[in-house]
């Protein structure tokens, strides 16, 4: 993270509402412009998260996905339009983000995220934002972020429900495995493709993921570290659980048994890095 030296007149105009916030100001905006975020998934959660991060002036946004735009995506994946059907999602996403803010360097990564590629893809970025829809990638992202000492913003959606957390397990604050040590058996949990997802739900959770990411980059407010937020859209209610490091966690506990990235594709029976709404666990 290298803060920009100064803001141009155009940037002063663009970020005016940030600049008048004492918590952000010129120093904070320059810090955002010098920051980098990697977003996993250019779908339902990745759409609002990446769009708000780009609009806020995060200087470098990587977005990784190897899927193509399908008509069924358009109900909730706002990075893409009707004319993008059939295009690689990262291409459509990059065009949208660049049109939102030319200050932002967008890195389109049309690549399969797996145990062989994750560490290389994650390494150049300050923080990882996971908006994927499957357990293989979720555990892969959690483990890779831990091994690289990078914070991980986690979001998931399912039907009318959403969840949000921020893990920084290399600092001893717990990780996704502290809650769910191992992936579930194949077929035991429905995907959004099987059970459905309410179209505006990813906008709510994805926006909160961007909010937490910006807060973390600027070191303002109280981050979601040590907390697990549950949202129920049908009655518009929020519930918060305390998240403590699990001493028996196989990754970040006292006697870890996970020392490298595991091929969860074989374990879970589903490919990693599929279209981008996460299943609730």
């Amino acid at each position: 993270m290298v803060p920009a030296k100064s803001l141009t007149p155009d940037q002063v105009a663009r970020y005016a509402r940030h600049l008048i916030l004492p918590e952000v100001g010129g120093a904070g905006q320059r810090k955002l412009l010098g920051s980098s975020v990697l977003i996993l998934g250019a779908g339902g959660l990745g759409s609002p998260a990446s769009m708000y991060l780009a609009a806020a002036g995060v200087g470098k946004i990587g977005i990784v996905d190897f899927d193509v735009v399908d008509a069924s995506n358009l109900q909730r994946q706002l990075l893409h339009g009707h004319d993008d059907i059939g295009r690689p999602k990262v291409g459509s996403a990059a065009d949208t983000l660049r049109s939102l803010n030319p200050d932002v360097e967008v890195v389109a990564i049309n690549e399969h995220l797996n145990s062989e590629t994750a560490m290389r893809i994650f390494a150049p970025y300050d923080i990882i934002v996971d908006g994927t829809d499957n357990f293989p990638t979720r555990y892969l992202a959690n483990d890779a972020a831990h091994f690289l000492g990078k914070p991980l913003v986690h979001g998931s959606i399912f039907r009318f429900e959403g969840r949000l957390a921020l893990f920084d397990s290399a600092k001893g604050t717990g990780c996704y495995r502290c809650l769910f040590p191992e992936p579930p058996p194949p077929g035991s949990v429905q995907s959004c493709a099987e059970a459905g997802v309410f179209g505006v739900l990813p906008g709510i959770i994805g926006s909160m993921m961007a909010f937490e990411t910006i807060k973390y980059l600027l070191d303002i407010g109280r981050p979601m570290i040590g907390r697990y937020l549950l949202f129920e859209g049908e009655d518009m209610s929020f519930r918060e659980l305390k998240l403590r490091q699990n001493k028996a966690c196989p990754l970040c506990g006292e006697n870890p048994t996970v020392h490298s990235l595991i091929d969860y594709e074989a374990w879970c029976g589903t490919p990693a890095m599929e279209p981008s709404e996460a299943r609730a666990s």
Side-chain angles (χ1 to χ4, degrees):
M1 189 183 302
V2 181
K5 293 182 179 179
S6 61
L7 300 178
T8 67
D10 286 345
Q11 289 173 331
V12 170
R14 176 182 288 272
Y15 306 117
R17 300 303 185 272
H18 267 179
L19 299 179
I20 60 177
L21 289 171
E23 297 85 353
V24 182
Q29 191 61 54
R30 291 193 298 273
K31 191 173 185 180
L32 286 179
L33 288 164
S35 299
S36 59
V37 176
L38 179 67
I39 298 175
L40 309 183
L45 293 172
S47 288
S50 63
M51 292 168 78
Y52 272 109
L53 290 171
V58 171
K60 179 180 178 180
I61 296 176
I63 189 158
V64 54
D65 202 312
F66 73 101
D67 196 19
V68 298
V69 179
D70 182 81
S72 66
N73 303 146
L74 304 182
Q75 163 244 19
R76 65 206 173 278
Q77 300 183 14
L78 301 183
L79 281 170
H80 320 295
H82 183 80
D83 291 343
D84 295 314
I85 292 175
R87 291 185 66 192
K89 284 188 177 180
V90 292
S92 174
D95 287 347
T96 300
L97 298 181
R98 289 168 184 148
S99 70
L100 275 173
N101 191 348
D103 287 343
V104 178
E105 176 190 357
V106 182
V107 182
I109 307 169
N110 189 15
E111 191 169 348
H112 187 191
L113 188 67
N114 56 34
S115 58
E116 295 182 356
T117 62
M119 301 290 274
R120 168 178 55 80
I121 291 172
F122 284 24
Y125 296 90
D126 298 321
I127 186 168
I128 313 301
V129 175
D130 181 15
T132 56
D133 78 331
N134 61 87
F135 287 108
T137 309
R138 190 171 300 160
Y139 281 87
L140 182 74
N142 179 75
D143 297 356
H146 175 79
F147 293 138
L148 290 169
K150 294 183 183 293
L152 174 73
V153 176
H154 161 79
S156 67
I157 54 175
F158 183 78
R159 290 176 52 81
F160 299 91
E161 305 168 7
R163 304 183 182 193
L164 176 73
L166 199 167
F167 303 117
D168 201 2
S169 57
K171 296 181 180 178
T173 59
C175 72
Y176 186 75
R177 285 183 183 271
C178 289
L179 287 169
F180 310 106
E182 304 293 349
S188 63
V189 179
Q190 286 184 306
S191 70
C192 289
E194 297 165 326
V197 59
F198 200 55
V200 299
L201 176 63
I204 296 168
I205 303 302
S207 296
M208 291 195 294
M209 294 169 76
F211 201 118
E212 282 302 306
T213 302
I214 294 169
K215 282 170 52 187
Y216 188 93
L217 291 171
L218 295 179
D219 192 22
I220 60 176
R222 180 187 174 205
M224 283 296 301
I225 294 173
R227 298 183 288 158
Y228 195 60
L229 186 67
L230 311 178
F231 170 70
E232 172 50 65
E234 286 190 284
D235 59 10
M236 200 58 72
S237 63
F238 290 87
R239 186 160 58 100
E240 183 179 296
L241 306 178
K242 290 185 178 179
L243 172 63
R244 297 184 178 89
Q245 184 182 32
N246 182 353
K247 300 300 183 183
C249 175
L251 180 71
C252 68
E254 293 180 344
N255 298 292
T257 57
V258 176
H259 301 288
S260 61
L261 301 183
I262 300 171
D263 181 9
Y264 287 108
E265 295 185 40
W267 189 337
C268 297
T270 57
M273 203 59 243
E274 288 183 341
S276 315
E277 293 87 33
R279 298 169 190 152
S281 298

